[in-house]
Amino acid sequence: MLVLSRADVEELLDLDELLGALAHAHEELSAGAASMPARIAALAGDAGLLGAMPGYLPSAGLGCKLVTLFPHNADRPTHQAAIMLFDPENGTPLALMDGTHITATRTAAAAALAARLLAREDACVLAILGTGVQARSHARAFARIRDWSEIRVAGRDAAKARSLADELGVTAAGSFEEAVRGADVVAATTHSAEPVVRLDWVAPGAHVSSVGYNAPGSELDPELVGAATVFVEARSSSFAPPPGGAPELAGLDPDATAELGELVAGTRRRRSDPAEITLYKSVGVAVQDLAAAALVLAAARERGAGLEIELEGIHA
C-alpha cells in the first residue's frame, strides 16, 4: 500500500487537472453511475465531529475519507482528513493519503467549477468572504477560471482581512457588505452562524457560492436563498438531514434545484437571464475526494512518490 504525506499530496495534486476531473465526476454522479451513501458522523462532545464519506466512482475508483471538523482549532486546520483508496476489483487497499489538502482544494475547485458554469460571461469582480484556509483555496481556484479585474477579501477580523489581502495582492474590504456590493461573484467561505451575505447587498445577475457549514445557523441570508436559483452537488446529499445536508435549503423543493453534474452534461439549464441571481450551495461530497485522490495516486505512481508499506502478515 502506498502512503502519501501532506507534502506529497500538495506537490502531486494539479489544480487545473482537478477542475476537469471534478466536472467528469459530477457528471457521473448525476447520471447515477456513482455509489455515494449519506455521510455519517460521530460527535466528540461539543468539541467536534468525525465524519465518514465512502464512495465509488467509475472514473476514480473506490475509497473513503475520514474527516474531522473541530471549529475551535486555532493552531491547526479546523478540517483534518485522511483518504483510503481500494482496488475496486478485489477490495485490496491501494493507498492512504493526507486528505486535509484535498478537502480544502476540491471544495474550492468545485465552487470555481460552478462559477465557471453559472457566472455571467462579463463577470469581473470577485468577493471572497472569510480569511481562513478556504479563502486562500478559493483565491487559487477562482484564478483558474477567468481573469478578475478586482478581487476583494472581507472577514470578521479586519486585521486578518488586511493580512490576507496583502498576502494575495488583492483589496481588503472594510466589511462583508462592502465586499459584496457591486461584486459579480461572491464566494462565502466562513464558519459563521449568522448571514455574511444578504440579499439586499447582492447585485442583480450576481453568482453566489457558499461552502460554510455551522448548523443550524448559516452564512447565507434566508431571503437570498429564497430569491436565487439554487444549484447543488447532489440533491440526495444537499437535502439530507444533518450532518450531511445543508440547513439553508430546508423548505425548498429539491426538484426546483439543479445539480452541478446536470449543468456539465447540459441536461439542466444554466443562467437564463442576465439579472438572475444564482446560488451554488456546497455540502462537500465523496466523489470530489475520490476524483482528487485518484489524480494524486496516478501522479505518485508516475513519479515514484510516497512510501510503500506491507499490510499483509500483520496480526492482532
Side-chain angles (χ1 to χ4, degrees), residues 29-298:
L29 176 62
S30 292
S35 175
M36 193 180 72
R39 173 169 43 205
I40 61 171
L43 302 179
D46 295 329
L49 61 81
L50 168 64
M53 301 172 63
Y56 167 74
L57 193 64
S59 63
L62 178 67
C64 182
K65 180 173 79 173
L66 293 175
V67 56
T68 59
L69 169 57
F70 281 69
H72 302 298
N73 283 356
D75 61 341
R76 66 198 68 199
T78 56
H79 292 73
Q80 299 172 86
I83 297 173
M84 189 88 170
L85 295 181
F86 301 83
D87 189 319
E89 298 295 326
N90 53 38
T92 299
L94 297 177
L96 172 66
M97 67 184 71
D98 168 74
T100 303
H101 180 70
I102 284 178
T103 299
T105 305
R106 61 77 155 154
T107 301
L113 172 63
R116 188 170 70 186
L117 294 168
L118 293 168
R120 298 191 324 270
E121 289 186 8
D122 63 348
C124 59
V125 177
L126 169 65
I128 299 175
L129 310 183
T131 57
V133 170
Q134 273 304 322
R136 289 173 171 81
S137 296
H138 274 64
R140 289 193 297 270
F142 277 63
R144 296 302 209 279
I145 63 169
R146 69 179 62 199
D147 293 325
W148 304 95
S149 64
E150 182 184 2
I151 299 177
R152 309 166 182 169
V153 172
R156 285 172 289 186
D157 186 321
K160 288 183 178 179
R162 288 192 297 270
S163 177
L164 179 59
D166 290 343
E167 175 188 329
L168 299 175
V170 301
T171 302
S175 65
F176 290 126
E177 180 178 358
E178 183 180 322
V180 171
R181 286 194 180 276
D184 301 307
V185 175
V186 179
T189 71
T190 75
H191 186 67
S192 177
E194 299 293 332
V196 299
V197 190
R198 296 195 176 275
L199 177 61
D200 289 346
W201 307 343
V202 176
H207 171 68
V208 179
S209 71
S210 166
V211 302
Y213 179 82
N214 192 354
S218 173
E219 63 183 359
L220 295 176
D221 176 9
E223 292 187 1
L224 171 62
V225 178
T229 304
V230 178
F231 300 84
V232 298
E233 294 135 325
R235 284 180 286 272
S236 60
S237 297
S238 299
F239 288 90
E248 298 93 335
L249 304 184
L252 290 187
D253 178 5
D255 291 334
T257 67
E259 295 182 348
L260 198 50
E262 294 170 337
L263 298 181
V264 174
T267 58
R268 294 289 289 265
R269 69 169 180 85
R270 300 184 185 181
R271 172 180 295 276
S272 62
D273 187 302
E276 181 181 16
I277 296 174
T278 56
L279 169 64
Y280 166 70
K281 178 55 199 176
S282 168
V283 297
V285 291
V287 298
Q288 296 169 342
D289 300 308
L290 290 175
L295 289 178
V296 170
L297 180 57

